[in-house]
Amino acid sequence: MADKKSRDEAVVVIGLGRFGGALAAELVGRDIEVLGVDRDAKNVQEFSGRLTHVVCADSTDPDALTQLGVAEFGRAVVGIGTDIEASILTTSILADLGVPDIWAKAISLQHSRILERVGAHHVVQPEHDMGERVAHLVTGRMLDYVEVDDNYALVKTKAPRWADGRTLGELGIRKKYGVTVVGIKQPGGRFTYATSDTVVNSGDTLLVAGETDKTERFAEET
């Protein structure tokens, strides 16, 4: 690490399985310096040359992480999957080392709670989150769905036929449904910021934000 700025922006990814490996590769693709750590030599070999640095080490060993200079990194991601004990121990060590921004993968709600207790600042449950997202898409008329906070979602859906040729101001969608149309895209075009003067046509795609149940209700109207 050349200077403090580069250290703060760099990320250490521990666990180069399917989740951690994909995340590390994506970060490198965004020109972010990444140190990949895994105790499986096969995973290390697979990512050798693809990441900025790759090391075979036991992340449950505090001395190993100290020698790697992990404490100098601004962010860390614990992508360890099925080995819950290793996931928890690694997260705890990172917290003890004072890493300021720790992300950790959990495979269950209980695992998630433990990770938060031992020092993770952010916990993600990829399988759960993806399952929830797909469930919304399968059971509704949404084109895409992202829950950005508890009970608050961003939904992509087709414009309802009854909105054809009318402005958002005339439609009164926020008053009627309690959601906000934040973007609109015509067929073959790109999303643009939506205002009260924006005209909606049948076939347009809308980007709608609001409480989860309200966005679902609006999507059902399309």
Side-chain angles (χ1 to χ4, degrees), residues 73-199:
F73 285 75
R75 292 165 288 179
V77 179
V78 181
I80 299 171
T82 55
D83 192 338
I84 294 178
E85 182 179 359
S87 165
I88 294 168
L89 284 172
T90 299
T91 302
S92 177
I93 293 168
L94 291 172
D96 289 343
L97 290 174
V99 177
D101 195 16
I102 302 170
W103 294 73
K105 172 189 174 182
I107 60 174
S108 68
L109 181 59
Q110 184 179 20
H111 184 198
S112 174
R113 287 171 176 167
I114 295 172
L115 289 170
E116 289 175 344
R117 287 172 187 164
V118 299
H121 303 103
H122 314 275
V123 178
V124 295
Q125 296 185 60
E127 289 83 1
H128 172 272
D129 295 344
M130 181 56 72
E132 184 179 74
R133 176 172 174 267
V134 173
H136 279 88
L137 299 180
V138 169
T139 58
R141 297 174 61 85
M142 304 174 190
L143 301 175
D144 205 350
Y145 167 92
V146 178
E147 188 168 30
V148 294
D149 202 352
D150 290 339
N151 196 36
Y152 194 89
L154 194 62
V155 168
K156 185 166 73 172
T157 187
K158 286 293 184 183
R161 293 181 179 176
W162 46 262
D164 189 35
R166 301 169 66 187
T167 67
L168 288 173
E170 293 171 340
L171 292 170
I173 291 174
R174 184 184 300 178
K175 184 177 180 180
K176 184 177 181 180
Y177 293 95
V179 299
T180 302
V181 178
V182 295
I184 187 169
K185 182 176 74 169
Q186 296 179 348
R190 295 183 177 182
F191 271 108
T192 58
Y193 181 71
T195 71
S196 60
D197 295 325
T198 299
V199 177

